[in-house]
Amino acid sequence: MNRLLWMGCFSYLLIGFAHVIVGSLMTDLLHHYDLTYKYGGTLVFAQFGGFLIGVLGTPLATKRLGIKNTLLLATVVLCAAEAVYGSLPAWPLMMAVAPAAGFGFGIVETVVGSVIIDVIQTRKAVAMSRLEVCFGLGALLMPLAAGGFIAAGIWQWAFVTLSALSLAVAVAWWRMPFHAVNQALREAKQQAAAAHPGPAAGSKQQSRASGRSRLIALLVLFFAVYVGLEMGLVNFLPSMLEESYGLTGTSALLGVTLFWLTMSIGRLFAGLLAERYTYARYLLVSCGGSFALALIFAASGQAALALVAVLLLGLAMSGIFSIALIFANAALPGSTERTTSTLIASGGVGGAVLPLLTGWSMDTFDTSATKWLLAALFAVMLLLFTVVSRLRGPAGSKS
């Protein structure tokens, strides 16, 4: 399974690049097309709309095509979409291609994540944290690479480079044997079916089903808010730093770089901390810390303080996604693929809607108002998980 984990890490590195490339190049992209931030938010919205389609279509795709062929399809589609981005076609074609890019990295994220959760039987949080470290590295390196392309005056070549990397990952999946992976997945599903047989009739079982439904609904909202915040922040952070503090070009990208640097560092330890102190406690502290730092960022009047807040915010948010995914599967046993797909899909909805809201806020109001809006959403995220942890009850102490 070591080879599978390595391939998962490479794939998450790729989707880390894909998630933030538009935000890293947002200012230059909009200047090229002479458009406002509203259109940038619309592009991100279209991309995450495709992400949602890919995530929701993953169970059907893996059933019809198998895991390996589904991953090949997704990486090839991502390769083609980024190549079109790099050609800088007319804006309507950019908008038409955006869902294809999201479709590609959405499938990769869902398939790899659910396979790792199913196949890795011990220290799942550590394994998922390794994937998220690679995602964070991709999201960290892309703004740095984008800054280099911008400085050289060939910023659109960042899209072409990502297209080539997508093709390389597709070839790597194509060459990887899947016999052992498929066997491990079959065994995991058999064990889950034996440990969690179909529900029995009765009022007690109905009560459990009702509690499960409430828990799923709250987790869906939690993932939507978290991913929306992450995408809204990283896609518009350079622009916020430019407008609020006068930073320009590669200097404005420093904020995103710091965010993903501390995000990557935090993910090295997130799994170990969550396994030691329980998933619920780890998530409560992370959500609370994120809210406090978002308040500092919103209130900061100096670039140095804002950058420190962003740096620490990346550390606080570092393990939320992966640990929450493990927490959800522990709280809702017996349906890993469905739970993972549903929660990543809800994250896709948030990732589509909240950047659109962020772009609208920056155009309609100002950067200061937008920062306070993001802080309010961090408060909502904290409230949601507080309710989730209470609903989970005593069983949550183990997860």
Side-chain angles (χ1 to χ4, degrees), residues 83-333:
V84 175
Y85 275 169
S87 69
L88 297 179
W91 184 255
L93 184 54
M94 288 286 286
M95 288 295 300
V97 166
F103 176 85
F105 64 71
I107 286 183
V108 173
E109 182 174 352
T110 308
V111 171
V112 173
S114 60
V115 167
I116 292 298
I117 290 173
D118 262 338
V119 171
I120 304 298
Q121 296 300 314
T122 59
R123 306 184 78 190
K124 292 179 186 288
V126 175
M128 282 298 296
S129 292
R130 289 182 183 177
L131 297 185
E132 290 294 309
V133 166
C134 292
F135 180 98
L137 284 174
L140 165 66
L141 294 174
M142 179 50 67
L144 291 174
F149 282 115
I150 290 169
I154 53 171
W155 56 269
Q156 67 270 27
W157 278 88
F159 291 122
V160 179
T161 303
L162 182 56
S163 176
L165 290 173
S166 302
L167 181 61
V169 172
V171 171
W173 279 117
W174 174 61
R175 292 175 59 87
M176 179 176 171
F178 256 71
H179 302 296
V181 175
N182 289 331
Q183 179 61 30
L185 285 171
R186 283 193 294 268
E187 292 176 358
K189 289 180 179 179
Q190 290 171 359
Q191 291 173 3
H196 305 284
S203 59
K204 186 176 181 180
Q205 189 63 43
Q206 290 174 356
S207 177
R208 289 179 180 176
S210 177
R212 184 184 178 95
S213 298
R214 289 195 298 271
L215 186 59
I216 291 174
L218 288 168
L219 285 167
V220 162
L221 290 174
F222 175 82
F223 272 80
V225 173
Y226 171 78
V227 176
L229 277 170
E230 185 179 293
M231 289 299 102
L233 187 63
V234 300
N235 279 291
F236 289 95
L237 183 58
S239 301
M240 289 179 184
L241 294 175
E242 285 185 17
E243 296 195 6
S244 293
Y245 310 105
L247 301 180
T248 58
T250 55
S251 297
L253 289 174
L254 177 64
V256 178
T257 301
L258 290 174
F259 178 83
W260 287 115
L261 175 63
T262 53
M263 182 79 86
S264 299
I265 292 172
R267 285 171 175 171
L268 291 172
F269 306 100
L272 295 172
L273 291 172
E275 295 282 358
R276 180 174 180 178
Y277 295 108
T278 76
Y279 305 150
R281 289 177 184 172
Y282 175 89
L283 290 167
L284 283 170
V285 171
S286 295
C287 291
S290 297
F291 171 53
L293 291 164
L295 288 176
I296 294 173
F297 176 64
S300 61
Q302 298 180 344
L305 179 59
L307 289 174
V308 170
V310 167
L311 187 150
L312 295 176
L313 186 58
L315 195 63
M317 295 176 66
S318 60
I320 291 178
F321 184 87
S322 61
I323 303 306
L325 201 57
I326 299 295
F327 172 89
N329 278 285
L332 303 164

Side-chain angles (χ1 to χ4, degrees), residues 32 42 51 55 64 67 75 78 100 115 166 185 200 221 279 387 389:
H32 174 78
T42 304
F51 173 92
V55 171
R64 295 286 182 85
I67 290 174
T75 47
L78 180 60
V115 167
S166 302
L185 285 171
L221 290 174
Y279 305 150
V387 176
S389 63

Side-chain angles (χ1 to χ4, degrees), residues 63-84:
K63 183 178 180 180
R64 295 286 182 85
L65 303 175
I67 290 174
K68 183 174 184 177
N69 289 335
T70 299
L71 287 168
L72 288 175
L73 170 66
T75 47
V76 169
V77 168
L78 180 60
C79 170
E82 297 297 334
V84 175

